[in-house]
Amino acid sequence: MQSQKEKDRMAEIAIELQDKKSDKELYDYQQGAISQIFEKFDTAPEDHHLLYQLPTGGGKTVIFSEMVRQYLKNHKKKVLVMTHRLELCRQTSNMLTEFGVINKVVDSKADLQDQADYVCYVAMVETLNNRLQDDKLDISDIGLVIIDEAHYNSFTKLFKFFENSFILGVTATPLSSNKELPMKDNYNELIVGETIENLIENDFLARAEVFQYDMALTSLEIGSNGDYTVKSSEDLYSSPAMLEKLLKAYEKHSQGKKTLIFNNGINTSINVYHTFNAAGLPVMHLDNTATKKQRAQILKWFKETPDAILTSVSILTTGFDEPTIDTIILNRATKSLTLYYQMIGRGSRILNNKSKFTVIDLGNNNYRFGPWGADLDWQAIFSSPNFYVDRIQDDESIEDQFKHDMPEEIRSEFSKSEDVSFDIKEVYRSATSSGESSKVVLERSIAQHARICIENSEDVYDALGLAKLLKDDINQRILTYTKCISRSTGNFIIWLKDDYKKKLNAYLRQNFDTVFEEIHGYPPED
């Protein structure tokens, strides 16, 4: 129960907030969201659990800070705002202060002897849990609980402490981080805010220009949390071939632009740092082992350096706003729709004349989830999350749809060939339906590769030189072939690739003259 001192303090604060206005100007859609939510306050039970969805960059913190101000002005109960990270605690506290709401951050060092002087608390979930277990914080008069980034399941263990409070969860993606703990089990209903497309059309967010690469990811393994393991990701993305692909993708699409790279694993990020540093590019690495001072220095450098490249792991997916970012590189794959939206959202903040930003996807994420900002039915996802999750394509299905095209610089070396493609899957289907051995597929592929080499050569030595350029094309065909025959062990694939190259070189040496004359109508010059 409230003491007389607390009641007097509540009355004082209500008077102070009557005419208090923030320098933050709320947009129409933000005002509309506040009206919708307060309407629920007036009509729903006091222990109602409401979830509000708004895209990253839409101003969720601004909305709920104004809500806290209005709530305290009109109600004689306290407010608690929960976050899952200390940085978000401080940012939220600062925003509330801007709205005239004097608040207390309940961290591990907080002195709670003066808690009667406050009507609004901001706390990190784990710290709050410890304080409540120790009975250090009086929450008997909490009327409103706001949960930022509500899709994290760590908050749910605290719900039992607030059985008589109105709980408002806010998130950009109302899909639980744990398939076994759907959000519909903890929230009574969902209010959907503005779409990403509407925010882009009205100049609140920048539009993403996506460049996606067809990635072979079947070596990745799924961990107990439902996402790709760090180990399997690092094995793949720390390989020289993948690091080279990343660097080339950056040079092609974002040279000289401020770039934020997301990785799955500290070792990968460090390898990315060394790769870009060796190329003479301005790059720094940041992960959760950095001290507070180091992190501040790195982020200051990133903000102030126009062509800065920052390679990172996990920690910048939430609570980090840097509108000067021009490019987001997803140097990882994820099974999490929320993480996908969070990573790309870091580049969507508008600034001056910035109306678009670049996304380079090296994890088949765009194939897996669809374009960032697509018109997702959040109500359907909220009510039937498993139906949505189960429909997300697996990597094998995604990769089966890839059409491999030669890079332009290699295709130009085969300019005399009208068509350089070869459909392994179709040739396999045709051969097996005719009762032929699957081996004929690779034999016909070798003959086709040899033909385009000979078409663009004057002698066998030229042809053998061109065959060396077909390494990636050969690798792609072998991978497709092994899927057709359902044999994909690492050693077998390596053996097939080596055997293919040997047979291609042998074919060129043995058949160059014959094929050359067949193509041109005359024999090659001696």
Short mmCIF file of all heavy atoms in Angstrom, two decimals, residues 52 62 163 205 328-329 341 356 376 474:
data_model
loop_
_atom_site.label_atom_id
_atom_site.label_comp_id
_atom_site.label_asym_id
_atom_site.label_seq_id
_atom_site.Cartn_x
_atom_site.Cartn_y
_atom_site.Cartn_z
N TYR A 52 2.08 -4.45 -28.71
CA TYR A 52 2.04 -3.42 -29.78
C TYR A 52 3.24 -3.62 -30.69
O TYR A 52 4.38 -3.71 -30.22
CB TYR A 52 2.05 -2.02 -29.17
CG TYR A 52 2.17 -0.92 -30.21
CD1 TYR A 52 1.18 -0.72 -31.17
CD2 TYR A 52 3.30 -0.09 -30.24
CE1 TYR A 52 1.30 0.27 -32.12
CE2 TYR A 52 3.42 0.91 -31.19
CZ TYR A 52 2.42 1.09 -32.13
OH TYR A 52 2.55 2.07 -33.08
N VAL A 62 9.74 6.57 -28.09
CA VAL A 62 9.04 7.85 -28.02
C VAL A 62 7.58 7.64 -27.65
O VAL A 62 7.02 8.34 -26.79
CB VAL A 62 9.14 8.59 -29.39
CG1 VAL A 62 8.19 9.79 -29.43
CG2 VAL A 62 10.57 9.03 -29.65
N GLU A 163 0.48 -9.55 -11.41
CA GLU A 163 -0.82 -10.15 -11.76
C GLU A 163 -1.95 -9.12 -11.78
O GLU A 163 -3.00 -9.37 -12.36
CB GLU A 163 -1.15 -11.28 -10.78
CG GLU A 163 -0.19 -12.47 -10.92
CD GLU A 163 -0.51 -13.59 -9.95
OE1 GLU A 163 -1.33 -13.36 -9.03
OE2 GLU A 163 0.07 -14.68 -10.11
N LEU A 205 11.42 6.30 -42.90
CA LEU A 205 12.48 5.31 -43.01
C LEU A 205 13.05 5.33 -44.43
O LEU A 205 12.37 5.75 -45.38
CB LEU A 205 11.95 3.90 -42.72
CG LEU A 205 11.50 3.57 -41.29
CD1 LEU A 205 10.99 2.13 -41.23
CD2 LEU A 205 12.62 3.77 -40.29
N ILE A 328 24.39 -2.22 -44.97
CA ILE A 328 24.35 -3.33 -44.02
C ILE A 328 24.77 -4.60 -44.77
O ILE A 328 24.21 -4.90 -45.83
CB ILE A 328 22.92 -3.53 -43.46
CG1 ILE A 328 22.46 -2.30 -42.69
CG2 ILE A 328 22.88 -4.79 -42.58
CD1 ILE A 328 23.20 -2.04 -41.41
N ILE A 329 25.74 -5.31 -44.24
CA ILE A 329 26.13 -6.60 -44.84
C ILE A 329 25.77 -7.72 -43.87
O ILE A 329 26.23 -7.74 -42.73
CB ILE A 329 27.63 -6.65 -45.17
CG1 ILE A 329 28.01 -5.55 -46.16
CG2 ILE A 329 27.99 -8.03 -45.75
CD1 ILE A 329 29.47 -5.58 -46.60
N TYR A 341 15.14 -8.76 -39.28
CA TYR A 341 14.59 -7.40 -39.32
C TYR A 341 15.42 -6.43 -38.49
O TYR A 341 15.60 -5.27 -38.88
CB TYR A 341 13.13 -7.42 -38.84
CG TYR A 341 12.15 -7.61 -39.97
CD1 TYR A 341 12.03 -8.83 -40.62
CD2 TYR A 341 11.37 -6.56 -40.42
CE1 TYR A 341 11.16 -9.00 -41.67
CE2 TYR A 341 10.49 -6.72 -41.48
CZ TYR A 341 10.38 -7.95 -42.10
OH TYR A 341 9.52 -8.11 -43.16
N LYS A 356 17.64 6.01 -49.20
CA LYS A 356 17.82 4.56 -49.41
C LYS A 356 19.15 4.12 -48.81
O LYS A 356 20.03 4.94 -48.54
CB LYS A 356 17.75 4.21 -50.88
CG LYS A 356 18.87 4.76 -51.73
CD LYS A 356 18.73 4.31 -53.18
CE LYS A 356 19.89 4.84 -54.02
NZ LYS A 356 19.81 4.37 -55.42
N LEU A 376 3.92 -8.33 -44.22
CA LEU A 376 3.66 -9.52 -43.41
C LEU A 376 2.36 -9.36 -42.62
O LEU A 376 2.04 -8.27 -42.13
CB LEU A 376 4.81 -9.76 -42.44
CG LEU A 376 6.15 -10.18 -43.05
CD1 LEU A 376 7.21 -10.28 -41.96
CD2 LEU A 376 6.02 -11.50 -43.78
N ILE A 474 32.20 -25.47 -62.11
CA ILE A 474 32.32 -26.93 -61.88
C ILE A 474 31.83 -27.28 -60.48
O ILE A 474 31.07 -28.24 -60.29
CB ILE A 474 33.79 -27.37 -62.07
CG1 ILE A 474 34.20 -27.26 -63.53
CG2 ILE A 474 34.00 -28.80 -61.55
CD1 ILE A 474 35.68 -27.45 -63.78
#
